[in-house]
Amino acid sequence: MSRLAATDHKQTAAKIAVASIFFFLLSGLLALTMRAELAQPGLQFVSDHTYDELFTMHGSGMIYLFLTPAALGLGLYLVPLQVGASQIAAPRLALFGFWLYLCGGLTMYSGFLTNNGAGDDTWTATIPLSNSTGTPGMGMDLWVIGVALAVFGSLLIAITILLTILRHRAPGMTMLRLPVFSWTMLATTFMVVGSFPVLVVAMGLLLAERHLGGVFTGSTGSIVYQHLFWFYGHPVVYVMFFPFVGAVGEAVATFSRKRFFGYRALVVSLLFFTALSMAVWGHHMFITGAVKNQYYSLTSSLLAVPAGIEYLDLIGTMIGGAIVLRAPMLFALGFIAQFLIGVLTGIIVASPPLDDHVTGTYFIVAHFHYTLFAGSLFGLLAGVHYWFPKATGAMLRERLAKASFWVLVLGANLTFFPMFFLGYDGMPRRVADYEPRLGDLNLLSSIGAGVIAIGVLMVLANLVVSLRRREPAGDDPWGAQTLEWWTSSPPPEHNFERPLPQITSHAPLLDLREHEEEVRERRVEVPA
Amino acid sequence: MTGGPRAGGGPLLAWSSIMIALGLMLAIWSGGEAAALLFLVGPVPLLLLAAWSRLRPAPGGPRLLARVSIPVVVVAIGVALAAIGLTGGLWLVLVGAEVGVFGLVWLIVEIRSERRRAGG
């Protein structure tokens, strides 16, 4: 019980990591079942209704219970260490948030135990499909309550991270000296605090609609719900993206043996990116004709500008650097290359006439899986491989890590690239059956899903083996640049046992090394 | 955006200003679409947090805090049970509320004893 109720931010983050991996595996299993069903045209294993449950719980699980909490968990562990704080602000609030998230996740999945099954109205629960006539039964109620609890829990965790950055920075750690990852976490918490409460309210209203009626009724009821949902639904995509950009940024700078390029440009671009990301939700409603398409098209297209700046910063950091291709760097490069495909296809979706052709098809599925799986998950894995030695004091097996990277790259592209063609050819998403002419590409995609499963198992095996047969990591195995590498691995209860170095930039350990080098060179020069 | 730990409001102010500008742009372009009001949802809580952070000084060193806080877990489970009760029935709402209140009282006792220890 002591571990389950520990208030230390590192232990709360570890609990989030374990829970999110659990929900990832559960939701991944549902995806594998779906891909097995879709390997051939016709219905093989599951009914239409079961298929609806599978894709609803897969999407909900991955977004509400895996990627969002994993991103926040990473921040909860690292931000206090990076800003030189001995504790997180409001540790009990973070613990409370974790438990709400866990209870929410279990509540969502418990729908499978009810008579009508789990929620089956997609991860967006669009009205009128999700009202009591469209989706009767307790399973959908549990889904709504579970989502509200999990999202509220995530909101509380984000508030503690935000307050830590605002109030617990070490002396000298000004806002323009925050490490890259902490800046991305700050931007993330802006979006969470700004948009998550709207979804909690929307879920409350949806539950009232299901039980009492009269909330989302009439010709505008569905539109009002969509506004509320997508005001959360689009920013959450960036909540599942920014922290991993930060993780990739740290890995790229460390393994390029260079200071992060264009730090101030990154900070400004992050602020614009977060604001713009909360101004694009209407592009999910282009097809309704109920939103100002020109406005949302403009804001959606403008997103390419800060995204481009971030890409330039990452590439600029590598140019002229002494690149070391360790496993975290490989995953970072995988993120950069594959997320680009998601960004470029996003330009197509941001344009109303092009979106009209592909909306509701597998093109959209391919697009967001390139951003969330081939992008964010690779970013998360870059972070996991980079900070695992710090969190555990043990090194991951390098060869196994590199092998798992290549298997995952193969699996991701084999699974999701054919979906662009399937969608363009008119295969609708969220269906268990399809025209026989689309069989070959679907089979390829299903084989890819199996390859992904192998890659995931290899990553898990690496974690287990490395923890059981430990190769000691030392305090700073990578020659990194930020404060978390100043302390022992794993860090002690109050994070730092020795005084912090002087903080004069966002890379204090690099400053220290450069200063020591300078002193050494002077000593050599004197006798000469 | 320079200075000590209390000077963290700059980015919040900058971000909130961009949000309000984007909201105004939508309101004018769409001829007063009500959805533009959503743009205020983000900045308002963030500005309130920034104001609170400015008014309340940040603690100097590590706070004396219980390493393990079981009452927090009890409150969370109470809240979750009460929420599930909205579909499971009034009895579950009442059980959840009872568990939650019990946890809350326990939490208050825990925090008070912490403060006493810190004071002593």
Side-chain angles (χ1 to χ4, degrees):
Chain A
M1 191 64 194
S2 66
R3 278 196 179 188
L4 294 176
T7 52
D8 182 50
H9 70 95
K10 299 180 286 298
Q11 295 215 35
T12 307
K15 288 193 278 277
I16 294 173
V18 171
S20 62
I21 289 173
F22 169 72
F23 287 123
F24 168 71
L25 293 177
L26 214 55
S27 307
L29 216 56
L30 302 184
L32 279 179
T33 315
M34 278 192 286
R35 281 316 320 172
E37 174 57 50
L38 291 171
Q40 284 183 343
L43 292 178
Q44 274 77 234
F45 311 107
V46 297
S47 65
D48 282 322
H49 175 68
T50 308
Y51 190 83
D52 291 350
E53 288 174 65
L54 291 178
F55 69 71
T56 298
M57 294 307 292
H58 164 72
S60 312
M62 289 297 186
I63 290 172
Y64 300 116
L65 307 178
F66 168 56
L67 268 175
T68 306
L72 294 172
L74 202 61
L76 190 69
Y77 191 97
L78 289 164
V79 164
L81 290 162
Q82 285 205 328
V83 303
S86 56
Q87 283 172 336
I88 194 150
R92 283 195 181 92
L93 198 64
L95 180 65
F96 185 58
F98 161 73
W99 275 95
L100 284 187
Y101 145 66
L102 181 65
C103 291
L106 295 174
T107 305
M108 277 167 74
Y109 267 98
S110 67
F112 277 113
L113 305 173
T114 62
N115 283 340
N116 288 337
D120 61 354
D121 187 30
T122 82
W123 79 281
T124 65
T126 309
I127 289 281
L129 286 176
S130 58
N131 66 21
S132 54
T133 318
T135 315
M138 201 176 171
M140 189 65 203
D141 281 345
L142 290 172
W143 184 91
V144 175
I145 293 164
V147 168
L149 287 171
V151 170
F152 189 55
S154 298
L155 170 66
L156 297 181
I157 294 166
I159 288 173
T160 64
I161 297 169
L162 174 62
L163 287 177
T164 305
I165 295 174
L166 290 183
R167 294 165 60 79
H168 288 253
R169 281 170 286 127
M173 180 65 79
T174 62
M175 293 306 282
L176 281 177
R177 289 175 192 164
L178 281 180
V180 170
F181 175 76
S182 289
W183 253 109
T184 58
M185 279 314 301
L186 181 68
T188 302
T189 58
F190 285 0
M191 289 183 292
V192 173
V193 174
S195 66
F196 281 31
V198 177
L199 187 79
V200 176
V201 170
M203 287 299 118
L205 293 173
L206 179 56
L207 196 66
E209 165 67 37
R210 288 176 59 78
H211 286 267
L212 309 169
V215 182
F216 296 118
T217 48
S219 56
T220 56
S222 162
I223 298 297
V224 170
Y225 176 82
Q226 285 192 55
H227 271 300
L228 292 177
F229 181 83
W230 287 114
F231 189 75
Y232 154 88
H234 199 84
V236 77
V237 174
Y238 298 97
V239 169
M240 295 181 283
F241 166 62
F242 279 168
F244 308 129
V245 172
V248 165
E250 299 280 4
V252 163
T254 298
F255 292 105
S256 299
R257 302 285 178 248
K258 259 183 79 184
R259 202 171 286 272
F260 191 81
F261 173 78
Y263 174 81
R264 284 178 186 242
L266 176 90
V267 168
V268 174
S269 79
L270 277 173
L271 289 174
F272 272 100
F273 209 147
T274 41
L276 277 175
S277 75
M278 292 186 70
V280 299
W281 79 88
H283 74 214
H284 294 275
M285 299 163 69
F286 277 159
I287 207 83
T288 64
V291 292
K292 193 76 187 168
N293 280 10
Q294 295 95 321
Y295 173 85
Y296 292 108
S297 180
L298 176 70
T299 50
S300 303
S301 303
L302 279 175
L303 282 173
V305 178
I309 292 172
E310 284 165 23
Y311 259 84
L312 282 176
D313 282 350
L314 289 171
I315 293 166
T317 307
M318 286 186 275
I319 291 175
I323 295 175
V324 185
L325 278 181
R326 299 296 296 264
M329 184 65 173
L330 271 184
F331 278 104
L333 292 174
F335 167 89
I336 292 170
Q338 296 181 134
F339 192 82
L340 189 61
I341 299 174
V343 172
L344 294 178
T345 51
I347 296 171
I348 295 172
V349 181
S351 164
L354 298 175
D355 183 64
D356 273 359
H357 177 63
V358 295
T359 195
T361 71
Y362 258 80
F363 190 93
I364 304 293
V365 180
H367 160 68
F368 68 69
H369 277 92
Y370 262 98
T371 57
L372 292 180
F373 185 91
S376 293
L377 189 76
F378 274 70
L380 173 64
L381 289 174
V384 167
H385 285 79
Y386 182 61
W387 281 299
F388 183 85
K390 175 52 57 187
T392 63
M395 296 296 288
L396 281 168
R397 298 293 188 274
E398 183 72 8
R399 283 176 68 180
L400 187 52
K402 285 182 174 171
S404 64
F405 166 76
W406 289 112
V407 172
L408 282 171
V409 167
L410 178 70
N413 289 287
L414 206 55
T415 307
F416 303 120
F417 206 74
M419 290 182 183
F420 284 122
F421 299 102
L422 287 168
Y424 199 81
D425 281 349
M427 179 168 168
R429 60 195 285 206
R430 296 164 178 160
V431 288
D433 192 9
Y434 53 84
E435 295 172 47
R437 69 184 172 90
L438 302 169
D440 291 345
L441 284 173
N442 268 299
L443 181 61
L444 207 59
S445 189
S446 295
I447 292 169
V451 177
I452 289 176
I454 294 169
V456 169
L457 289 177
M458 287 168 75
V459 172
L460 291 176
N462 198 357
L463 297 178
V464 173
V465 169
S466 303
L467 280 174
R468 289 216 166 163
R469 294 182 204 153
R470 301 170 76 90
E471 286 176 8
D475 292 352
D476 183 8
W478 307 128
Q481 306 180 357
T482 43
L483 282 183
E484 73 272 26
W485 302 98
W486 179 251
T487 187
S488 58
S489 306
E493 191 185 354
H494 288 301
N495 292 344
F496 299 95
E497 277 172 346
R498 54 177 170 158
L500 294 173
Q502 198 183 2
I503 301 162
T504 51
S505 78
H506 63 273
L509 297 197
L510 185 63
D511 294 338
L512 195 68
R513 274 199 298 277
E514 283 176 353
H515 177 70
E516 283 170 357
E517 230 164 80
E518 210 173 288
V519 170
R520 257 201 311 274
E521 277 168 14
R522 272 190 209 149
R523 275 188 197 149
V524 173
E525 275 168 19
V526 170
Chain B
M1 295 211 292
T2 57
R6 287 183 64 198
L12 274 88
L13 203 62
W15 182 81
S16 302
S17 308
I18 304 170
M19 281 291 287
I20 289 166
L22 284 167
L24 280 174
M25 197 173 135
L26 175 62
I28 293 166
W29 201 343
S30 64
E33 194 179 288
L37 288 172
L38 282 170
F39 279 99
L40 293 176
V41 175
V44 170
L46 278 176
L47 290 175
L48 286 175
L49 265 180
W52 175 80
S53 184
R54 282 235 163 226
L55 292 173
R56 254 190 87 164
R63 218 176 89 200
L64 188 66
L65 182 81
R67 282 185 178 175
V68 175
S69 185
I70 297 170
V72 171
V73 182
V74 176
V75 174
I77 289 171
V79 170
L81 284 177
I84 296 166
L86 295 175
T87 185
L90 183 62
W91 65 274
L92 197 52
V93 175
L94 293 173
V95 169
E98 206 170 318
V99 172
V101 169
F102 171 70
L104 214 54
V105 172
W106 190 0
L107 185 62
I108 290 167
V109 171
E110 186 181 274
I111 291 172
R112 288 182 77 175
S113 92
E114 237 167 50
R115 286 196 177 152
R116 263 200 307 275
R117 267 186 294 148

